Amino acid sequence: MKQKVVVFSQIDAEILARLQQQYEVVVINPKLGDVQEQIKAAVVDADGMIGAGRMLNAANLESAQKLKVISSISVGYDNYDVDYLTQSGIWLAHTPHVLTETTADLAFTLLVSAAKQVTRLDQWTKQGHWQRTVGQDQFGQEIFGRTLGIIGLGNIGQAIARRGFHGFNMNILYHGRQEHLDRAEALNARFCSLNELLQQSDFVVLAVDLNADSRQLIDAAALAQMQKHAVLVNISRGQVLDEAALYDAIVNRTIFAAGLDVYQQEPLKQSDLFDLDYVVTLPHVGSATAQTRKKMAELAYQQLVDVLNGRQPRYLVNP
Ligand code: 8YV
């Protein structure tokens, strides 16, 4: 009898076809009704799951009788109850490394867009406001040679630092749960307290994973430490940043601009932040290139197959 796999998000068509050849496959589809109910029903006799972007925990998994693995098409795993999975003997695999460089590219895209006011000035130009040489209202921020503060010097944080250091001759500061002398050395990066980083940086990039320490790390008090000309970029998770406090900081001009890829609620359909020209908003596209999403899907597929064939997956979250 074929093993059963639940696909719980959109997935690369070719990978889906491969799964369908090997396994009995159930695809969760929001168009077919309540997603929670579909998951609960599908997992009862499932052996494996693959997908991204859904909250999976006791509430929708407790009916699972023989689930061995969830293979997540993501590096972040804050949407899974890892303790519950571990207690239940369910392995969780994820996809680090393959998305590092493209996500760092996106962080820099937001940094440059917000610093140079690309989206606002694009609209301004197209709306015919360019009547004479631009003035102060159209000025952006310098990037080259300035200070880049990175919160979370993991793989993606380091890749962002490399772009800042080698490409823009930036002075790199970082903060995180611990100092990483080995990672920092090649980038001339200096470990400092959160407050020092916020006070000294011209650009603050959030590249930390979501955990108990990073939840709401950047609140009103933290934003108040930043410089008036500073730019904030968030490519980590929306919950790291207090969005209402960011709104106030931009409206009161206590920081210059922000570039966001992630939000407290996703998909974000309505937000006060949408009213602000000085906030660049992207729809969580950190890893969203055809090449990277393919690599992520391949890796997740491979890890699912590994577990279903009795092998340990390469990137296991809960060994
Ligand atoms: C995911 C991400 O692809 O990998 C992550 O942690 O944030 C993205 O690259 C996305 O969350 C899938 O919905």
Side-chain angles (χ1 to χ4, degrees), residues 39-152:
I39 294 175
K40 282 190 216 168
V43 296
V44 175
D45 56 349
D47 299 280
M49 298 179 79
I50 183 167
R54 293 214 186 280
M55 203 61 89
L56 293 181
N57 51 30
N60 47 22
L61 296 181
E62 67 182 353
S63 59
Q65 311 273 309
K66 54 177 179 145
L67 186 62
K68 292 182 212 51
V69 60
I70 298 173
S71 188
S72 187
I73 311 174
S74 68
V75 63
Y77 47 83
D78 47 280
N79 51 315
Y80 304 101
D81 182 340
V82 179
D83 288 342
Y84 172 77
L85 297 182
T86 307
Q87 282 158 26
S88 313
I90 301 166
W91 274 352
L92 176 64
H94 70 144
T95 61
H97 306 299
V98 289
L99 48 60
T100 297
E101 299 301 340
T102 208
T103 307
D105 285 348
L106 196 274
F108 244 87
T109 303
L110 283 171
L111 185 156
V112 172
S113 304
K116 299 296 180 191
Q117 290 292 290
V118 171
T119 52
R120 181 174 69 91
L121 294 181
D122 172 60
Q123 287 304 309
W124 185 84
T125 309
K126 287 172 178 164
Q127 285 162 4
H129 296 294
W130 189 18
Q131 308 286 349
R132 59 188 72 82
T133 310
V134 299
Q136 206 163 321
D137 279 354
Q138 287 74 48
F139 290 175
Q141 298 294 331
E142 304 266 334
I143 302 172
F144 190 86
R146 295 191 96 186
T147 297
L148 171 60
I150 299 175
I151 301 181

Side-chain angles (χ1 to χ4, degrees), residues 1-294:
M1 212 175 80
K2 278 185 174 178
Q3 289 175 301
K4 177 173 168 184
V5 168
V6 177
V7 176
F8 58 91
S9 67
Q10 284 195 52
I11 186 169
D12 181 87
E14 200 243 319
I15 300 277
L16 179 61
R18 259 193 260 163
L19 287 169
Q20 282 165 332
Q21 272 175 5
Q22 290 165 271
Y23 305 108
E24 178 196 340
V25 174
V26 173
V27 181
I28 304 300
N29 182 350
K31 289 187 191 140
L32 300 178
D34 188 89
V35 165
Q36 285 292 86
E37 294 307 318
Q38 288 182 53
I39 294 175
K40 282 190 216 168
V43 296
V44 175
D45 56 349
D47 299 280
M49 298 179 79
I50 183 167
R54 293 214 186 280
M55 203 61 89
L56 293 181
N57 51 30
N60 47 22
L61 296 181
E62 67 182 353
S63 59
Q65 311 273 309
K66 54 177 179 145
L67 186 62
K68 292 182 212 51
V69 60
I70 298 173
S71 188
S72 187
I73 311 174
S74 68
V75 63
Y77 47 83
D78 47 280
N79 51 315
Y80 304 101
D81 182 340
V82 179
D83 288 342
Y84 172 77
L85 297 182
T86 307
Q87 282 158 26
S88 313
I90 301 166
W91 274 352
L92 176 64
H94 70 144
T95 61
H97 306 299
V98 289
L99 48 60
T100 297
E101 299 301 340
T102 208
T103 307
D105 285 348
L106 196 274
F108 244 87
T109 303
L110 283 171
L111 185 156
V112 172
S113 304
K116 299 296 180 191
Q117 290 292 290
V118 171
T119 52
R120 181 174 69 91
L121 294 181
D122 172 60
Q123 287 304 309
W124 185 84
T125 309
K126 287 172 178 164
Q127 285 162 4
H129 296 294
W130 189 18
Q131 308 286 349
R132 59 188 72 82
T133 310
V134 299
Q136 206 163 321
D137 279 354
Q138 287 74 48
F139 290 175
Q141 298 294 331
E142 304 266 334
I143 302 172
F144 190 86
R146 295 191 96 186
T147 297
L148 171 60
I150 299 175
I151 301 181
L153 198 67
N155 293 320
I156 297 171
Q158 289 171 77
I160 295 166
R162 281 198 298 276
R163 283 156 177 73
F165 182 63
H166 296 295
F168 291 82
N169 196 30
M170 293 172 98
N171 170 34
I172 313 289
L173 301 178
Y174 73 101
H175 175 77
R177 284 202 272 208
Q178 65 205 58
E179 190 168 0
H180 295 286
L181 288 170
D182 48 334
R183 300 177 190 178
E185 202 183 354
L187 300 161
N188 206 14
R190 186 166 69 78
F191 183 72
C192 59
S193 70
L194 178 62
N195 276 352
E196 193 189 345
L197 180 143
L198 295 168
Q199 288 161 9
Q200 305 282 320
S201 299
D202 302 302
F203 298 92
V204 174
V205 178
L206 310 181
V208 70
D209 54 346
L210 179 63
N211 55 50
D213 293 337
S214 65
R215 193 174 287 276
Q216 297 288 297
L217 185 68
I218 305 302
D219 55 10
L223 288 162
Q225 302 290 315
M226 289 175 64
Q227 308 193 65
K228 260 190 150 54
H229 65 263
V231 169
L232 179 73
V233 171
N234 190 9
I235 51 112
S236 61
R237 286 292 183 261
Q239 291 80 358
V240 175
L241 173 67
D242 179 340
E243 281 169 13
L246 174 67
Y247 177 88
D248 291 341
I250 297 282
V251 166
N252 298 326
R253 311 230 43 79
T254 64
I255 71 169
F256 179 70
L260 307 177
D261 188 42
V262 289
Y263 308 89
Q264 281 161 19
Q265 277 290 323
E266 293 184 13
L268 185 64
K269 298 188 181 111
Q270 188 77 46
S271 169
D272 290 344
L273 294 169
F274 293 168
D275 299 334
L276 304 181
D277 291 342
Y278 283 81
V279 179
V280 179
T281 49
L282 292 180
H284 199 150
V285 287
S287 65
T289 63
Q291 298 87 339
T292 293
R293 283 290 168 88
K294 186 85 187 174

